[in-house]
Amino acid sequence: MTMAAVTVGKVGFGQHPVADRVIGYEDRRPSLSWRILSAPHGWEQHRAQVEIAQGGQPPQIHDFEGADQICLPWPGTPLKSRQCARVRVRVAGEDGNWSSWSDPTLVETGLLSNEDWSGSPIEPDPGVGREDPAPIMVRSFTVGQGCDLGRLDLTAGGIFIPYLDGCRIGCDELTPGWTDYRKRMNALTYDLTQVLAPGRHELAVILGNGWYRGQLTWTCRTEVYGKNLWLLANLFWRDQDGEHRLATDQDWTWRSSPILANDLYDGQTRDMRVPLLNQGGQTHPVRALPMPAARIRPQEAPSARILDRLPGLEIITTPSGGKIVDFGQNVSGWVRMHIRHGQLGQEVILRHAEVLEKGELGTRPLRNAKATDRFILSGGEEDLEPLFTQHGFRYVQVEGVEDFRAQDLEACLVSAEMRPLATFKSSRAELDRLFQNARWSTMDNFIVLPTDCPQRDERLGWTGDIAMFAPTALALFRAGGFLASWLEDMADTQASDGGIPVVVPDVLDGPKLTCGWGDAAVLVPWAIYQATGDKAVLRRFLPMMDRFVDGVEVHCGGSRLWRGGFQFGDWLDPDAPPDNPGGSKADPDVVATAYFAHSARLVARAHQALGEEDQAGHYSLLADQVARAFREEYVTANGAIISDCASVYAMALVWDLLETPDQRQGAGDRLADIIRVSGFRISTGFLGTPLVCPALVKSGHPRLAIRLLLQDRCPSWLCPVTMGATTIWERWDSMLPDGSINPGEMTSFNHYALGAIVHWMLEGLAGLQMREPGWRKVCVSPVVDPAVAHVDISQETPYGLIRLNWAICGQTFHLELEIPVGVQACVALPGAREETCRHGRYAWDIPLDQVCGPSSPIRTIRDLIDSTVSMDRLTEALKLTGSPVYVGDQADVAFTKAAKPWLDADLDRLPDVASQQGYVPGADEIERVCRSFLAGLKKQDLHTKEKE
């Protein structure tokens, strides 16, 4: 039999998608990755050779020993600005036989330093105000015969869209994004080789306000980075006459555009009667400016683009007579509208919102953001679409025109172009929708940086939100480059005491030491490293990680306890009042100290990964000291933790802050009881929520984790799903049961933070857990419960696609697994021998009772609460008593709270528990119903025993 050949894929560079050519690369030393596309069973890479041809020199071959194929350091000569290298790879296994060479890929750097730019920035003269029409910067030039290379590099103070001869260049949106313009600016490179025909051309660049001088924050600050818009452009081409360079200088001119007003919060106004580039408009001179002090570097993050277009589904007529188009999905971007029969001078107005309230557009959560686009029609048939704004919406109210259909409008999803990595399907449609909601909220908030929300007068890079969500985002999308770019601004603005701004870029009140939010300095780089296996991320950001932990250490002193000072705490605890989202049950000092220990541990592991043993030892000792101080100050010998709430127990369990078996057992059991007493409702805020299900599984309560996940009454992950949510809400009750919007000042229907649960759906419920950075090793160990009959997931990794699906088929548990070359899986299934598997396809069949275990008898009140079927029956019976205690969808919570002191009591005490020993209205009827319920339960138990 012929052995299957080893084939290797193209080389990829850094966090960029694999492509034949990557231009405008941001580093002189691109890291290298490749995939083994096929190999015989059991084959492993033992050697690799990378061939690099650069600078017109003969190709050089570089040898790599071992199995590494992800983010290897550049072995060649560092590249210069706008230099190209051709790269290919081949690999060999233990037998020394080489594969064929991969197809070559090309990487070409952009302009890597400010000194590499020609010319100077230019601004309109006279200046153009923030509320004036957007300016168009213009330059004509002539190209000779035989152009075989053309490049355009651009950056701006503001946002830009370039055009050549009236045709748009590229499809990037809202470029060059938002960075801390005082410290660094992105530049983009475009390939114009194919469009630079011989003859005369016009390069035109429209400038919008964007983040540079548009409104920012809920105070609607303007001109934060500058008063005037400016452009810096370098055009390079090569034709038969040689090489040519054209830079922004005083030979450029500018003219007004028909974009009369533009703002990210408020929207855009455009006069369609005037051509977009206003070629016949009056021209004006420009003024040259000094080069900015900020670093100008090629853009690392993927650009925002229109990734999807969703047609309108229906037109809703509001009680006030308005016409609203529903797109069926909460989305970030803007609307494109086709006008079939417009009138000259007619004004069309599009107003955006995420929800309806009392049948009308629900604009109150937008606060000061007007989210309104206006168009003055040219007459006849035309398409309306803004360029320099962005909205978060599901619904759009159309004013000024009556003759339109829902499908004449389409919602344009604008997001960073990140490759999707994970899929999830199950027997529970509501879980599938929850997973999709988290994906949508990620896309809607990962436009140019990770924002909190895409709709109201905020849209800021809140550090606490992404600190919690980064592992989820990196499982869902190829977001390493996107987040690493954002971390550059974080590192740039770190204070001397290690503090981090609560939003990055910092447009609020400066850096400060805060737990959770500040810990993003550690948690986000570590999450990128874990997901990508790229050690360069650690080398790049470890100084920031160290400074943060060092700063907390200085603040805490010898006590090692992080006490006092400002903290957000377990933000948006569902028990916190609407006007005080930081008023959580979790003691902020307990939470802060737990985070201190956790971040110190991660910093130690980061140094360990880089072979820096002394630093690793230092931070490991510090983490041990903080964990010991945490236990001595806040934890009893039996595992009770001060503030006695789910978040603190989850942190202590998941982060291994407890020492003795008694502490771990006690904390796990106490967490389980808190979940029971809550009626399996969420009782945690931003910081605790991602940890509760992992903590329940780790402490031996996996079925409770499933109960918590599947709860669909408020507060829960699935309650918004049952109410029609298509994204993750900021609050558990952003929408109230009566359809009204939460009265709090801060209410969003598109916040990803609480969607971090989908990471556990992949690694806990489905059972695919990463064991080594970059997915080099994984563990397969699902949480199986009959309430979920099957789960089917896929996870794209740097090595290739992992597929995992399992199903309960009668009395058999069936699991299938597919592993790519380079990944090793440890499969640990209950009732089966642990196995180690390499690339290939595998399947297992195990008796269901070995996987799930036998049903436990109901002997105590705790056992009763743990039985979904019995609790549902009891709750319905209690509702029928007519007692005001047991009404509505919180009747089960009324019982579980009453049961808190009785969890260990025999089931015969049920009448006393439910009637609270006779002290609630309708106690006699409650007791009668409970006795009847118990009689039925005993008959059922007897019947079960007879069957056995």
Side-chain angles (χ1 to χ4, degrees):
M1 183 175 65
T2 303
M3 183 171 288
V6 175
T7 56
V8 59
K10 297 176 183 178
V11 174
F13 305 104
Q15 298 301 317
H16 292 256
V18 176
D20 291 340
R21 177 189 291 269
V22 175
I23 69 169
Y25 195 82
E26 70 274 6
D27 197 312
R28 301 179 188 277
R29 300 175 178 85
S31 65
L32 308 176
S33 301
W34 57 86
R35 290 182 178 181
I36 311 300
L37 303 181
S38 65
H41 187 73
W43 183 92
E44 291 184 73
Q45 176 185 305
H46 281 247
R47 293 183 62 197
Q49 287 186 332
V50 172
E51 180 189 82
I52 299 177
Q54 62 188 89
Q57 299 299 313
Q60 299 291 315
I61 292 179
H62 306 271
D63 290 300
F64 291 89
E65 297 294 328
D68 290 344
Q69 60 190 75
I70 304 300
C71 296
L72 276 71
W74 179 256
T77 304
L79 300 174
K80 300 176 182 178
S81 285
R82 203 177 274 146
Q83 185 178 3
C84 183
R86 176 181 178 273
V87 185
R88 60 179 186 163
V89 63
R90 66 177 184 173
V91 298
E94 188 176 17
D95 58 9
N97 293 326
W98 289 104
S99 70
S100 299
W101 287 100
S102 69
D103 292 336
T105 52
L106 301 177
V107 59
E108 178 186 310
T109 54
L111 300 179
L112 298 175
S113 70
N114 290 33
E115 291 72 26
D116 294 324
W117 289 80
S118 304
S120 60
I122 55 172
E123 66 179 8
D125 185 17
V128 174
R130 185 179 66 84
E131 298 181 351
D132 293 333
I136 310 171
M137 316 300 280
V138 182
R139 181 70 156 87
S140 296
F141 62 99
T142 302
V143 175
Q145 296 290 328
C147 177
D148 63 359
L149 183 66
R151 296 288 184 269
L152 174 64
D153 295 280
L154 289 170
T155 192
I159 50 181
F160 64 78
I161 300 180
Y163 293 82
L164 182 69
D165 302 328
C167 296
R168 183 165 174 170
I169 299 172
C171 52
D172 302 321
E173 305 289 353
L174 305 175
T175 49
W178 185 14
T179 55
D180 187 337
Y181 303 127
R182 295 162 294 202
K183 302 290 181 65
R184 72 178 186 111
M185 304 196 70
N186 289 330
L188 283 87
T189 302
Y190 295 97
D191 182 359
L192 301 186
T193 306
Q194 301 302 316
V195 294
L196 290 179
R200 192 163 181 80
H201 299 274
E202 182 187 80
L203 178 63
V205 183
I206 313 177
L207 298 180
N209 294 318
W211 298 271
Y212 190 79
R213 68 174 187 180
Q215 297 180 98
L216 293 175
T217 82
W218 49 87
T219 63
C220 294
R221 297 174 61 194
T222 59
E223 300 177 353
V224 171
Y225 298 102
K227 185 175 182 180
N228 298 317
L229 302 178
W230 54 264
L231 173 71
L232 178 63
N234 276 197
L235 175 63
F236 169 85
W237 74 94
R238 185 175 63 208
D239 57 27
Q240 67 180 16
D241 299 322
E243 295 182 348
H244 308 270
R245 289 174 174 80
L246 184 152
T248 42
D249 56 23
Q250 291 182 313
D251 291 334
W252 287 58
T253 59
W254 76 275
R255 56 184 182 248
S256 292
S257 78
I259 299 175
L260 306 181
N262 69 94
D263 184 84
L264 292 170
Y265 289 178
D266 286 349
Q268 177 177 303
T269 300
R270 177 177 168 186
D271 187 344
M272 302 295 294
R273 297 169 297 184
V274 179
L276 177 62
L277 296 181
N278 191 18
Q279 286 86 346
Q282 182 180 359
T283 62
H284 308 277
V286 299
R287 181 187 303 116
L289 302 171
M291 283 291 286
R295 306 185 308 275
I296 304 174
R297 298 292 185 271
Q299 180 170 289
E300 176 181 11
S303 291
R305 295 186 174 181
I306 296 176
L307 301 186
D308 200 1
R309 296 179 184 269
L310 310 178
L313 297 182
E314 68 169 320
I315 296 176
I316 300 169
T317 301
T318 73
S320 64
K323 300 290 186 181
I324 291 177
V325 175
D326 178 9
F327 294 96
Q329 173 62 53
N330 202 9
V331 67
S332 178
W334 50 74
V335 166
R336 177 186 177 97
M337 183 176 184
H338 181 68
I339 298 293
R340 288 177 286 126
H341 307 291
Q343 301 297 317
L344 180 66
Q346 180 182 357
E347 184 179 37
V348 174
I349 302 173
L350 305 179
R351 304 186 191 276
H352 305 72
E354 295 183 298
V355 294
L356 301 181
E357 186 175 33
K358 297 179 181 178
E360 302 286 350
L361 206 64
T363 58
R364 182 173 60 80
L366 301 177
R367 298 191 303 216
N368 295 312
K370 295 184 177 67
T372 301
D373 295 331
R374 300 173 182 270
F375 300 89
I376 303 170
L377 303 186
S378 63
E381 189 170 1
E382 57 190 332
D383 291 317
L384 313 179
E385 183 174 0
L387 297 175
F388 291 133
T389 190
Q390 172 257 313
H391 310 295
F393 63 97
R394 172 176 170 171
Y395 301 94
V396 169
Q397 183 161 315
V398 181
E399 300 173 8
V401 58
E402 294 294 330
D403 181 20
F404 69 92
R405 302 166 300 182
Q407 57 266 37
D408 289 337
L409 287 81
E410 56 184 16
C412 301
L413 167 64
V414 178
S415 181
E417 192 173 34
M418 305 175 299
R419 180 175 179 171
L421 299 181
T423 63
F424 178 95
K425 294 181 180 179
S426 73
S427 59
R428 304 292 293 251
E430 63 271 34
L431 291 182
D432 299 353
R433 182 68 245 188
L434 175 62
F435 184 86
Q436 292 302 323
N437 287 1
R439 289 187 74 256
W440 274 101
S441 280
T442 307
M443 291 188 291
D444 291 344
N445 281 290
F446 277 42
I447 303 174
V448 297
L449 54 87
T451 56
D452 57 326
C453 59
Q455 77 298 99
R456 68 184 178 220
D457 54 358
E458 195 165 348
R459 314 180 198 181
L460 307 176
W462 281 96
T463 52
D465 299 49
I466 193 59
M468 301 305 103
F469 193 73
T472 310
L474 291 156
L476 295 177
F477 293 96
R478 186 167 180 160
F482 182 90
L483 292 176
S485 173
W486 177 73
L487 287 172
E488 279 287 324
D489 288 319
M490 180 184 289
D492 280 345
T493 51
Q494 187 174 27
S496 58
D497 68 352
I500 297 294
V502 296
V503 298
V504 173
D506 182 21
V507 288
L508 291 179
D509 51 2
K512 53 172 65 103
L513 283 171
T514 57
C515 93
W517 279 248
D519 288 276
V522 175
L523 301 180
V524 179
W526 181 255
I528 298 173
Y529 166 61
Q530 288 288 101
T532 65
D534 189 357
K535 292 182 180 179
V537 172
L538 298 183
R539 295 189 187 95
R540 182 174 169 189
F541 296 114
L542 251 179
M544 175 179 67
M545 299 165 72
D546 286 352
R547 282 195 297 270
F548 174 75
V549 172
D550 293 347
V552 178
E553 181 184 9
V554 170
H555 174 81
C556 296
S559 75
R560 298 298 193 237
L561 298 172
W562 192 350
R563 294 183 288 201
F566 171 80
Q567 299 289 3
F568 286 102
D570 195 21
W571 187 253
L572 283 174
D573 179 325
D575 295 323
D579 59 350
N580 182 22
S584 69
K585 299 180 290 292
D587 185 297
D589 293 348
V590 178
V591 171
T593 303
Y595 264 92
F596 181 19
H598 181 51
S599 283
R601 184 73 64 198
L602 294 185
V603 170
R605 292 174 182 168
H607 283 289
Q608 184 74 43
L610 299 181
E612 298 171 356
E613 299 297 336
D614 289 346
Q615 296 96 319
H618 166 74
Y619 287 105
S620 182
L621 176 61
L622 176 62
D624 289 343
Q625 292 171 346
V626 178
R628 183 166 57 250
F630 176 88
R631 291 190 295 271
E632 291 175 352
E633 187 75 11
Y634 301 128
V635 186
T636 70
N638 291 323
I641 304 176
I642 283 181
S643 67
D644 193 41
C645 63
S647 288
V648 297
Y649 287 107
M651 292 171 190
L653 288 162
V654 174
W655 297 339
D656 294 321
L657 302 182
L658 306 176
E659 184 175 36
T660 67
D662 285 346
Q663 284 184 327
R664 290 189 287 270
Q665 182 71 43
D669 290 347
R670 179 60 190 140
L671 172 62
D673 280 346
I674 289 172
I675 300 303
R676 292 183 178 101
V677 169
S678 73
F680 300 95
R681 306 299 202 278
I682 294 293
S683 60
T684 49
F686 271 27
L687 301 188
T689 296
L691 304 173
V692 174
C693 285
L696 287 169
V697 174
K698 188 171 185 176
S699 60
H701 303 282
R703 288 194 172 181
L704 300 191
I706 297 296
R707 286 280 296 280
L708 187 65
L709 173 65
L710 295 179
Q711 176 62 259
D712 62 4
R713 297 168 185 169
C714 190
S716 69
W717 288 291
L718 295 183
C719 181
V721 173
T722 66
M723 297 181 71
T726 61
T727 43
I728 302 296
W729 293 354
E730 178 178 23
R731 295 177 180 269
W732 300 108
D733 58 348
S734 286
M735 180 76 73
L736 302 182
D738 64 0
S740 60
I741 297 169
N742 187 293
E745 175 70 17
M746 185 186 70
T747 299
S748 159
F749 294 88
N750 205 346
H751 252 66
Y752 52 66
L754 298 178
I757 185 61
V758 305
H759 189 244
W760 184 79
M761 289 165 58
L762 293 169
E763 71 168 15
L765 175 60
L768 182 61
Q769 303 155 21
M770 184 197 305
R771 285 295 173 87
E772 284 194 6
W775 299 91
R776 182 68 174 274
K777 291 185 179 180
V778 300
C779 178
V780 176
S781 183
V783 176
V784 183
D785 188 287
V788 183
H790 73 257
V791 172
D792 187 339
I793 71 164
S794 67
Q795 179 69 61
E796 190 80 35
T797 77
Y799 295 91
L801 190 67
I802 299 175
R803 294 183 182 274
L804 170 64
N805 68 79
W806 55 257
I808 296 173
C809 307
Q811 295 303 308
T812 300
F813 174 75
H814 177 77
L815 184 144
E816 295 179 358
L817 175 66
E818 183 177 344
I819 311 169
V821 181
V823 174
Q824 177 180 310
C826 171
V827 181
L829 303 177
R833 180 174 55 86
E834 189 172 298
E835 297 183 46
T836 298
C837 305
R838 299 191 181 275
H839 67 274
R841 295 181 179 180
Y842 303 86
W844 291 263
D845 286 294
I846 304 170
L848 183 61
D849 58 0
Q850 293 183 23
V851 177
C852 295
S855 298
S856 300
I858 300 176
R859 297 288 181 260
T860 67
I861 299 298
R862 182 184 284 107
D863 297 334
L864 173 62
I865 294 173
D866 285 358
S867 171
T868 305
V869 173
S870 297
M871 264 302 298
D872 286 347
R873 290 175 179 169
L874 175 62
T875 302
E876 291 306 312
L878 291 173
K879 287 181 181 180
L880 295 176
T881 64
S883 172
V885 174
Y886 296 113
V887 294
D889 62 7
Q890 300 298 310
D892 57 332
V893 179
F895 173 80
T896 55
K897 287 184 176 179
K900 181 177 180 179
W902 299 85
L903 294 177
D904 291 313
D906 290 341
L907 195 58
D908 290 341
R909 301 303 302 272
L910 177 61
D912 290 331
V913 174
S915 68
Q916 297 181 36
Q917 295 182 291
Y919 284 102
V920 299
D924 290 343
E925 180 63 12
I926 291 171
E927 291 173 0
R928 186 194 66 78
V929 164
C930 287
R931 286 191 291 271
S932 176
F933 172 82
L934 286 174
L937 201 60
K938 289 176 181 178
K939 286 182 181 179
Q940 179 183 340
D941 189 32
L942 180 61
H943 179 66
T944 302
K945 288 182 178 180
E946 289 175 350
K947 287 181 64 178
E948 292 174 350

